[in-house]
Amino acid sequence: MTLAETSEPIGEFNKHVGFELTEWQRNHACVEVEIDSYHTNVMGVTHGGVLVSALDFACGMAGCYRPPPEPRFYCMTLTLNTNFIAPMRKGLLRAHGRKIGGGRSVFFAEGEIVLPDGTLIATASGAFKLFDRKPKA
């Protein structure tokens, strides 16, 4: 599956925020968004909700990959613990997620947002429930 073929599974919320899945392989995903003024809070730093959403998306996708031609997995976040380390202003946000373990129905993942200069912005760890196909609403 190419990244271009993942537009449907990304979801409307992620598209609305501007997230793009730029890397996706077994146990790893990277999500990017160019932070602009509408992503910031009253203090002019990236809103915590944007950071958490990027980490959630990256961590979840890290566990949903299946090599082509297999259909991808879907997942639902069960828990997500986030630590805010430093403020982020405008620029490129890159959230990396890594699947670190789990079984057939639940997996665990860690994520981080690090600026190009090495500044750690936020970290996350969570548990995610796997589905073989898209759950019905």
Side-chain angles (χ1 to χ4, degrees), residues 1 3 21 23-30 58-68 70 72-73 96-103 107-110 130:
M1 178 178 290
L3 292 181
L21 183 65
E23 297 173 26
W24 196 28
Q25 59 197 25
R26 183 182 160 107
N27 301 329
H28 174 78
C30 180
C59 287
M61 291 303 287
C64 289
Y65 182 82
R66 278 191 193 162
E70 294 291 318
R72 66 164 288 215
F73 285 110
H96 291 273
R98 291 175 299 289
K99 179 181 171 187
I100 58 170
F107 72 90
F108 304 95
E110 295 178 335
L130 279 172

Side-chain angles (χ1 to χ4, degrees), residues 55-113:
L55 288 163
D56 183 49
F57 185 25
C59 287
M61 291 303 287
C64 289
Y65 182 82
R66 278 191 193 162
E70 294 291 318
R72 66 164 288 215
F73 285 110
Y74 288 82
C75 74
M76 176 178 74
T77 306
L78 298 174
T79 65
L80 188 69
N81 299 304
T82 308
N83 300 295
F84 301 105
I85 313 298
M88 179 179 179
R89 302 209 182 270
K90 291 183 184 177
L92 181 65
L93 180 153
R94 296 187 86 217
H96 291 273
R98 291 175 299 289
K99 179 181 171 187
I100 58 170
R104 284 195 269 193
S105 62
V106 175
F107 72 90
F108 304 95
E110 295 178 335
E112 63 183 16
I113 297 171

